[in-house]
Amino acid sequence: MSDHLSKLFKLNGKVAVIIGGGGHLCSAMAEGLARCGVKVVIADKNIDAANRVAKKLRNLTTGVMACAVDVTSKDSMQTLCDAVIKRFKKVDILINGAGINAPTPVMDITKDEWQAIFDSHATATLFGCQVFGAHMIKRQSGSIINLASVSSGPPLSKAFTYSVAKAGVANLTQNLAREWAPHGVRVNALRPGFFPTQWSMKHFIDAKRQAAILSHTPMGRYGKPQELVGAVLWLASDASGFVTGSLVHVDGGFTCMTI
């Protein structure tokens, strides 16, 4: 049985680029991939955070690389891609997980804030897919995993721009899945529920909102970052070889809940 599972989910020797890899969720994904023998590239605007994650992972896999990247710049994405290919010769897996948020009331959202949040999610995902997707199309192989959200639709209160951007990520994922399936490149998205950081607990979630979230989540709790790893390993591996254009819910049942 273990041999069968090893063959089904074989990832050893593959190369993964995790954009936003210094963050709360993507660092857990990076660790999960590293534990499977994947060479991991931790790319983040915050190079100190990327280096911290990379240092932790160097005893888990034979190849770890930390890089700074500006996800709102296609040129920066291309520089990252070139550096990864120079070192590892290929990219098999791309995770687009960068992004920012703000709890600004809708009537107070400025153009600059709107653009910054939208660019950090939707535009950054487009640039990542364009740059690394071109490499994957050339190789006729690859798995791209984008990060959508339960706020992709119906939208989430207090996260107006974020919800619009995540809806764009979900739509972009399905568009690219259709376009690139003939080239052997699969494009899927995770749709996480609530995996709060200390920042989001401070700025988004007070006692009343927490009660509303947990009462709408059949499992009655928040998710743990490690609980996204199984879905990532599945989407990254050949075990999901016929899966593309999917939005994979990992949300404790949040999106199946009504009354």
Side-chain angles (χ1 to χ4, degrees), residues 3 34 45 54 75 79 99 125 128 179 206 237-238 245 247:
D3 184 58
K45 183 178 182 179
D75 287 343
T79 298
T125 299
E179 293 285 321
D206 56 18
S237 71
D238 291 341
L247 307 178

Side-chain angles (χ1 to χ4, degrees), residues 53-109:
V53 174
K55 182 179 180 180
K56 180 181 178 182
L57 301 186
R58 286 198 170 98
N59 64 338
L60 299 177
T61 187
T62 56
V64 179
M65 183 177 178
C67 297
V69 66
D70 176 359
V71 298
T72 65
S73 165
K74 189 174 179 180
D75 287 343
S76 182
M77 287 282 201
Q78 188 64 60
T79 298
L80 170 65
C81 184
D82 293 343
V84 175
I85 293 170
K86 181 178 181 180
R87 177 166 175 183
F88 294 122
K89 311 305 179 188
K90 63 173 184 172
V91 176
D92 301 291
I93 303 154
L94 171 69
I95 297 177
N96 283 305
I100 59 174
N101 201 353
T104 310
V106 64
M107 297 301 284
D108 297 328
I109 297 171

Side-chain angles (χ1 to χ4, degrees), residues 22 31 47 51 55 68 80 84 97 112 118 129 136 144-145 147 161 183 185 210 215-216 224 244 250:
E31 181 175 345
I47 189 59
N51 281 324
K55 182 179 180 180
L80 170 65
V84 175
D112 286 346
F118 191 87
C129 288
M136 291 177 175
I144 296 175
I145 304 169
L147 257 68
T161 312
H183 302 286
V185 179
Q210 175 167 285
S215 67
H216 194 88
K224 303 171 186 175
T244 196
V250 188

